[in-house]
Amino acid sequence: NWGLIRAPHVESYKGFVFANMDPDAPPLEEYLGEVGRIGLSLIAEQGDMEVVDGVQKYTIGCNWKLAVDNLFDWYHPQVSHASAFMVNFTPRRPGTTPRTNSNATPHLVMLGEYGHAISGPSYVEERDGEDSISDQSWRKRAEAMEELGPVGITSRGHPNIFPNLWVASGGTQLSLRLPKGPFKTEIWWFTILDKNLPNDEWERMRKRAVQVFGPAGGLEQEDGENWDQSTRGTAGVIARRYPLHFAMGLGHGEIVTSDSGSGHIETKINEHAQLWTYRAWAEWMAAESWQELKEIHSRVPGNV
């Protein structure tokens, strides 16, 4: 009689279990759409994946949307992570410098239903092994190509399952950004690896996950400080007098339509995914119900 409250919707996609407390919410497959499914498949299709024991949980004094914004942002690494690049924290392509390494490959942006998005470098087979932190041969499997499609199979960017589930680049980690108020976010990190990896490679990838992101991560410490300071900056006396500017790159994203009907953008450094995310957030805030959200939410550009 007094057990746990039951979620009206509990569904799974490739082993990832989602629950929704609203009985009027759409089915998971409908909600994820093509881009949401691709984001999760970028992990699932890498092999026989398993969650590594233990979840890293910690709190940063930032608004959750800044943490989401950051995952799409591929021009901050040259500044925020310059010191990490200088000591070869990540492999660097021959002929590049710490300030050009992140821009050395073409970029791909995919925009999905309800605010899902993927943004970051494309996979370039000719450069395989030069700057990859993990084996990318799984991309050549017929099953992976069929699941991800001709566009998704070329993505090495960061997917975000709207609103706050990040599939980290490389497809070996998941991060939840859980808002604890406008000035505080609790972050959970899960590491997911192929259980059939050789022991030494499995351990190398596990250690790398801890060293890159999480409270002791070389990159997350730098990012987290930026999120904290940016959040504080928006609450300043002068900052509150002026609107934020969200127009960078507007009109410069040419939508390319794939055979599946989804729209994507082939570009360089950009903010198309951020703009899509903030637009979706505004629509979610405006809608009083799922039915209203279905009626007012922006359709994916290029869809047929």
Side-chain angles (χ1 to χ4, degrees):
N1 291 336
W2 293 98
L4 295 176
I5 298 172
R6 292 183 177 272
H9 296 281
V10 179
E11 298 179 72
S12 175
Y13 180 76
K14 295 194 174 181
F16 297 99
V17 180
F18 292 80
N20 195 305
M21 302 303 291
D22 190 336
D24 296 325
L28 178 62
E29 286 261 349
E30 177 188 330
Y31 176 70
L32 289 175
E34 182 183 20
V35 171
R37 293 192 296 270
I38 287 174
L40 296 174
S41 294
L42 283 168
I43 287 184
E45 291 302 321
Q46 291 193 39
D48 191 3
M49 310 301 283
E50 65 178 357
V51 179
V52 176
D53 290 343
V55 181
Q56 298 184 78
K57 299 181 181 181
Y58 55 101
T59 301
I60 292 181
C62 71
N63 185 279
W64 70 275
K65 293 188 291 297
L66 283 171
V68 173
D69 185 318
N70 181 89
L71 71 91
F72 297 128
D73 172 7
W74 287 86
Y75 47 82
H76 83 270
Q78 299 91 322
V79 178
S80 297
H81 306 311
S83 58
F85 291 147
M86 290 172 69
V87 297
N88 287 336
F89 183 76
T90 56
R92 189 164 71 239
R93 288 202 314 112
T96 64
T97 68
R99 292 193 178 277
T100 62
N101 188 46
S102 293
N103 298 339
T105 58
H107 284 216
L108 175 69
V109 180
M110 303 182 72
L111 306 177
E113 294 285 352
Y114 295 107
H116 312 311
I118 304 174
S119 180
S122 300
Y123 169 70
V124 180
E125 184 175 358
E126 291 75 16
R127 296 173 180 172
D128 204 4
E130 294 179 352
D131 58 355
S132 295
I133 62 174
S134 59
D135 182 12
Q136 299 292 304
S137 61
W138 61 271
R139 295 178 183 271
K140 299 176 182 178
R141 290 192 297 105
E143 298 89 342
M145 289 189 283
E146 181 178 357
E147 284 293 320
L148 292 165
V151 180
I153 199 70
T154 66
S155 174
R156 285 190 59 217
H158 287 169
N160 186 62
I161 309 301
F162 192 89
N164 57 346
L165 175 61
W166 175 24
V167 181
S169 180
T172 57
Q173 288 182 283
L174 284 176
S175 179
L176 275 171
R177 280 73 183 276
L178 305 173
K180 299 296 181 180
F183 301 106
K184 185 185 295 185
T185 300
E186 185 173 292
I187 298 181
W188 295 13
W189 274 105
F190 304 83
T191 298
I192 304 175
L193 298 174
D194 185 349
K195 65 174 64 176
N196 297 318
L197 285 174
N199 290 339
D200 57 343
E201 177 66 6
W202 191 95
E203 182 62 17
R204 183 186 75 83
M205 295 297 293
R206 185 195 67 81
K207 287 183 176 179
R208 179 172 182 81
V210 174
Q211 294 166 354
V212 175
F213 296 114
L219 301 189
E220 187 96 332
Q221 291 183 71
E222 296 168 337
D223 288 332
E225 184 177 20
N226 289 337
W227 306 340
D228 179 288
Q229 295 299 309
S230 295
T231 298
R232 297 186 188 196
T234 62
V237 174
I238 301 300
R240 286 178 176 271
R241 296 177 184 173
Y242 299 93
L244 293 175
H245 186 267
F246 291 96
M248 177 179 172
L250 281 180
H252 294 282
E254 180 182 354
I255 303 296
V256 180
T257 303
S258 66
D259 292 340
S260 65
S262 64
H264 64 280
I265 304 165
E266 298 172 0
T267 182
K268 277 292 190 180
I269 301 303
N270 68 92
E271 288 192 348
H272 301 308
Q274 289 96 318
L275 293 170
W276 187 247
T277 299
Y278 286 124
R279 174 187 288 186
W281 175 78
E283 293 169 349
W284 279 61
M285 293 298 98
E288 295 290 337
S289 64
W290 274 102
Q291 184 57 43
E292 185 176 350
L293 181 62
K294 290 179 181 181
E295 294 171 358
I296 70 171
H297 83 279
S298 297
R299 304 303 169 186
V300 178
N303 263 11
V304 294

